[in-house]
Amino acid sequence: MRRDHAEEVHEHDRGLSHDLPVLARRRMIRLVAGAGLIPLVGCSSQDETAAAPSSKGSGSASPSAGCATIPDETAGPFPGDGSNGVNVLKESGVVRSDITQSFGDSAGGTAEGVPLTLTLTVVDAASGCGTPKKGAAVYLWHCDREGNYSLYSDGVTDENYLRGVQETDDKGQVTFRSVFPGCYAGRWPHIHFEVYGGLADATAATSITSTSQLAFPKDVCDTVYASDGYEASVRNLSGLSLETDGIFSDGYDRQLAAMEGSVARGYTATLTVPV
C-alpha cells in the first residue's frame, strides 16, 4: 500500500476524523465510571543536558491508590496485525526483544536513531494493579526516525523493523530494544501496543485484550530531536502538545512513560499497563 509523501503524512493515524469516534467512546466510559475527575498530569518543559536527568511519567502504579485499565486507543492505519491486510504477527521471527532490524523475507534494513529501551509491566487491574500478568503477550510497533511505518510507508514497504512480540515474564514485564521514534505531522510522539492473553493468541492475531498507546514527555522529545536525523521532528513537534493531540488530549496521565538517560547513552522508558 503505497502513498506519496503528502498523502502519507496526512494519513498517519488518519487524524481527528478517524480518532474522534474513539475519543467519544473513551469520554463516555470515563463519564460513566467517574474517571473524568482525575486531574491531568502535565509534562516537564525544563531543558535537558547531554546527561539528562529522569523525566517522570506514569511508569508505575500504586495498588493502594486504586487502579484503572490502560485507556483503549485506536491502533491506527498501520498496525500490521492483519486487521487491514498486512500481518506480521504470523511471520517467523516476530517474537523478539530487539526490534531495530527487519527479519524474515524483508529487505533486511536497520532503523537508525537514538537508542531506546522500553519496558512495559502488564498487571491485573482487577487486583488493584498488584498482580503481574505472567504469560501475557505484547505486540509493539512504532514509526522510525523519519516518521515512517514499516510495511506501509513509501520507501519502507519491504521492511518490517520496529515491530515485535514478547511474552511477559514472572514480573509481567516485556523489554524491547528500539530507537526513539520521530514526530510526524499531526501526532504527538508515541508508541502503539496490543496486549494479548498469551503468546499463541498474539502470533495468531486473535483475542486482543487491550490496544493502547504510550506517550513521551516533551523535555525528552526536545532533547532527542535536537540530534542528527530528527530535523523534521523539530518542525512537526513545534505545533503540537499533549493537550491538543487527537489521542492524548482527553487524558494521558496513565500513558506517559517515565524516562531516564541521554542522547549519548540512550534512553530507557517504563510504563505500567493495567489490563
Side-chain angles (χ1 to χ4, degrees):
M1 179 164 60
R2 292 181 180 272
R3 301 178 175 87
D4 62 31
H5 180 71
E7 289 176 331
E8 178 181 307
V9 170
H10 179 72
E11 283 292 312
H12 273 314
D13 287 356
R14 299 184 185 176
L16 288 177
S17 63
H18 174 71
D19 294 333
L20 277 176
V22 178
L23 296 178
R25 289 195 298 272
R26 283 183 55 194
R27 289 192 178 100
M28 180 61 68
I29 291 171
R30 290 186 178 192
L31 285 172
V32 172
L37 299 178
I38 298 174
L40 299 182
V41 179
C43 56
S44 172
S45 60
Q46 66 183 21
D47 292 333
E48 287 195 329
T49 61
S54 64
S55 181
K56 301 301 181 183
S58 55
S60 61
S62 171
S64 61
C67 180
T69 57
I70 192 78
D72 191 42
E73 306 288 11
T74 173
F78 309 131
D81 61 1
S83 60
N84 63 358
V86 181
N87 194 341
V88 73
L89 294 175
K90 294 185 178 181
E91 294 187 20
S92 176
V94 72
V95 180
R96 59 197 184 134
S97 58
D98 188 337
I99 62 174
T100 57
Q101 293 184 321
S102 290
F103 63 94
D105 296 329
S106 72
T110 299
E112 303 294 337
V114 172
L116 174 69
T117 299
L118 173 63
T119 297
L120 300 181
T121 303
V122 183
V123 297
D124 182 21
S127 68
C129 292
T131 304
K133 296 283 285 186
K134 176 184 176 182
V138 175
Y139 169 42
L140 180 146
W141 72 98
H142 63 85
C143 71
D144 61 20
R145 183 171 62 180
E146 287 74 35
N148 297 319
Y149 283 87
S150 66
L151 301 175
Y152 296 90
S153 300
D154 190 31
V156 292
T157 54
D158 293 331
E159 304 289 356
N160 55 21
Y161 52 51
L162 305 183
R163 299 177 183 274
V165 175
Q166 282 197 73
E167 184 178 40
T168 59
D169 61 17
D170 291 346
K171 297 180 180 179
Q173 294 184 337
V174 292
T175 298
F176 293 91
R177 293 189 298 277
S178 189
V179 295
F180 201 94
C183 177
Y184 52 78
R187 278 304 317 277
W188 188 261
H190 61 283
I191 284 180
H192 297 265
F193 60 90
E194 294 173 341
V195 180
Y196 292 80
L199 194 59
D201 289 333
T203 54
T206 60
S207 303
I208 298 174
T209 301
S210 178
T211 301
S212 195
Q213 297 181 26
L214 171 152
F216 290 99
K218 184 180 187 303
D219 56 347
V220 177
C221 293
D222 287 339
T223 300
V224 171
Y225 295 161
S227 60
D228 292 342
Y230 289 95
E231 289 79 10
S233 294
V234 175
R235 179 179 64 254
N236 292 332
L237 186 68
S238 64
L240 299 173
S241 73
L242 278 162
E243 290 76 14
T244 60
D245 179 73
I247 292 296
F248 301 122
S249 59
D250 64 340
Y252 52 85
D253 53 308
R254 286 176 284 138
Q255 295 165 277
L256 189 63
M259 302 198 66
E260 295 182 348
S262 67
V263 169
R265 294 184 289 110
Y267 282 91
T268 61
T270 59
L271 184 72
T272 296
V273 181
V275 297

